[in-house]
Every structure is written in structure tokens, then in C-alpha cells.
Amino acid sequence: MLIYKSPKEIEKIKISNQIVAGILTELEKEVRPGITTLYLNDVAEELACKKKALPAFKGYKGYPYSLCTSVNNVVVHGLPSKKQLVEGDIISIDFGVLFGGYYGDSAITVPVGKISKSAKKLILTTKESLYKGIEKALPGGRLSDISNAVQSHAESEGYSVVRVFVGHGIGSSLHEDPQIPNYGKPGIGIMLNAGMTIAIEPMVNEKGCEVEILEDGWTAITKDGGLSAHFEHTIAITDKGPVILSERIVS
Ligand code: MF3
Ligand code: CO
């Protein structure tokens, strides 16, 4: 079932997403060699608490932390731990909150110190793929126009997109219809209309698209050990086009 939002509701979803955006900006500043991903989780919780926002992931289907910290070959849902980040790592930080009855959800991938040229390119291409998808979130378009734009851009650089995880509608639930795959032919699926709020979240792998889940039941890693990057924005589809609700003030 699709749940359309009024401009007032979209304003509220934006407030939640701006809390997430602000916290991701603070977390990015904390990322450096020697810190642990558990530390990032604690900082995120503290900042959310200050904003009177509830971390959205903790307890969701039993997820044990507030943050997903996915390092190098971890695709998504990496569990924060006491392991230290080291120079050259890349880390995806995925965070969500519930505030005023509405959810915010966004993710970034950032370098730990100096990283290889190839890792930089993977991060940049994944971010670009997200924005290519967002550009296609237009009233009158079709859902898979987004999917196809994401896939085409990632594959044009020789990368693969993960199939088993998808983007999603978002509002008074963290996950609503529709599911938004990051691959597919254009021009199919539901029609996109003003009033839809969706989270688009490409996961792009340096090598193959296959993933496997570790015994913890959460951590998704690349089967071939290749690097993976992940970006996510919550957007609203409006008559004027897509509006990025989780846009960060600093890039
Ligand atoms: N951004 C991810 C999603 O929307 C994060 C969810 S982690 C979970 O699916 F723990 F909440 F599942
Ligand atoms: Co999401």
C-alpha cells in the first residue's frame, strides 16, 4: 500500500531527516584511524538524545545498535564493535531516527585517513549513482526509472549493484512500500507521484554483486571480498521534482 504525504507531513519528515543529516555530519568529523565503530554508535546515540529523537534502527527486527557501520567489504548492516578503524579503510555510516512521529534515514560512505585511488572512485561513483537515481524521481515517471539510472551509472564504471537489498518508502514507518531496487529496465513498476517519500540507497560493489550474511544474522559482506560503498537519501517527490529531505548542509 502506498501512503501519500501532504506538504505538512513532508515538512515533518524533513525535520527528522535534517536531524539525521546533522548527526551524519558530526559522525563524519569523528572518523579517523584508531577510533572504534562502537564509539561512533555512542556518539550517534548521544546526539540523537540531545535532539530528543529516537534512534530508529535499535530494536528494529532485533537489530542491536543505533548505527550501521559497514567497513570495506561489508555491504550494509555492519554491527558497531570495539575494532579500530585503520588508515585506508572506507566506512558506510547508516543512521535513522524517529522524531515527531516520522522517520529520517540516510547513509554516507567516508574514507578513514588517506585511501586508495580505487576506493575513492568507488565512493564517488556510488554517490553519483544515488544522485542519478534521485534525478529520475519525477511525477509521471516509473519506479524502475530510478533503479535503471542507479544501475547504469554504477555499471558504466565497471562496478556491480547489490540486488538483495533495496530502497523503500518511508514516513510514519521506517519501511513502507514501494521497494526500490537498484537495478532493472526503465519504464516499469508503479507510477511516481507527488506526495511520495522514499529512501533511495544504492550499494555498489567493486567486483561481483553477490553478498553473504555472517552468523550474527546482520552483517552483509561481499562474497568475493571486494570493497562495497553505500549512500542513502530520503527524498520527497513533488510537483517541482525531487526534494532531498536528508541533504546535508556541508557536502
Ligand atoms: N537504511 C537501512 C534500511 O533502511 C538501515 C536499516 S538497519 C536496521 O533498511 F537495523 F534497521 F534494519
Ligand atoms: Co533505508
Side-chain angles (χ1 to χ4, degrees):
M1 185 191 51
L2 289 178
I3 303 170
Y4 285 92
K5 282 87 180 177
S6 67
K8 259 196 185 144
E9 288 173 304
I10 290 174
E11 244 345 278
K12 289 187 184 176
I13 299 170
K14 182 173 178 181
I15 292 171
S16 302
N17 276 285
Q18 282 301 304
I19 294 173
V20 172
I23 292 174
L24 286 178
T25 298
E26 292 307 310
L27 293 175
E28 180 175 12
K29 289 183 202 158
E30 296 289 340
V31 170
R32 60 186 166 269
I35 64 141
T36 69
T37 48
L38 203 51
Y39 168 72
L40 290 177
N41 179 79
D42 294 346
V43 172
E45 284 187 358
E46 204 175 294
L47 293 174
C49 186
K50 264 195 205 157
K51 293 277 181 191
K52 307 212 181 314
L54 216 57
F57 302 163
K58 201 172 192 168
Y60 182 85
K61 294 187 175 166
Y63 187 76
Y65 297 95
S66 295
L67 205 62
C68 299
T69 50
S70 305
V71 178
N72 296 335
N73 63 320
V74 179
V75 178
V76 282
H77 304 161
L79 303 180
S81 78
K82 288 184 179 160
K83 194 165 176 260
Q84 291 181 356
L85 295 176
V86 301
E87 179 117 32
D89 284 346
I90 64 171
I91 177 174
S92 150
I93 306 172
D94 189 349
F95 188 56
V97 299
L98 174 61
F99 182 83
Y102 292 93
Y103 282 89
D105 187 10
S106 184
I108 54 175
T109 299
V110 298
V112 181
K114 199 169 157 37
I115 63 171
S116 69
K117 245 186 166 174
S118 57
K120 257 186 215 166
K121 178 137 187 255
L122 175 68
I123 292 177
L124 179 66
T125 304
T126 307
K127 191 176 187 178
E128 287 169 350
S129 298
L130 169 60
Y131 280 84
K132 295 280 181 190
I134 293 172
E135 280 174 22
K136 296 287 180 187
L138 300 168
R142 295 276 173 178
L143 182 72
S144 77
D145 297 347
I146 298 173
S147 314
N148 181 260
V150 169
Q151 178 181 26
S152 300
H153 188 67
E155 291 184 354
S156 76
E157 297 293 346
Y159 301 132
S160 69
V161 290
V162 171
R163 268 60 167 174
V164 294
F165 298 108
V166 294
H168 50 94
I170 178 168
S172 57
S173 301
L174 177 61
H175 292 148
E176 295 180 356
D177 287 338
Q179 293 197 348
I180 306 168
N182 294 299
Y183 67 98
K185 290 195 182 95
I188 53 182
I190 60 155
M191 186 173 285
L192 302 172
N193 286 310
M196 295 173 65
T197 47
I198 57 177
I200 305 174
E201 50 179 317
M203 291 137 273
V204 175
N205 293 354
E206 201 179 21
K207 298 192 260 175
C209 66
E210 297 288 311
V211 311
E212 82 193 31
I213 311 288
L214 298 185
E215 299 88 272
D216 60 30
W218 284 102
T219 313
I221 62 168
T222 57
K223 230 173 203 168
D224 56 22
L227 284 183
S228 185
H230 173 219
F231 280 86
E232 176 175 22
H233 267 315
T234 294
I235 69 156
I237 301 176
T238 75
D239 290 325
K240 296 195 187 99
V243 176
I244 303 176
L245 303 178
S246 53
E247 189 82 289
R248 299 194 295 147
I249 309 302
V250 289
S251 77

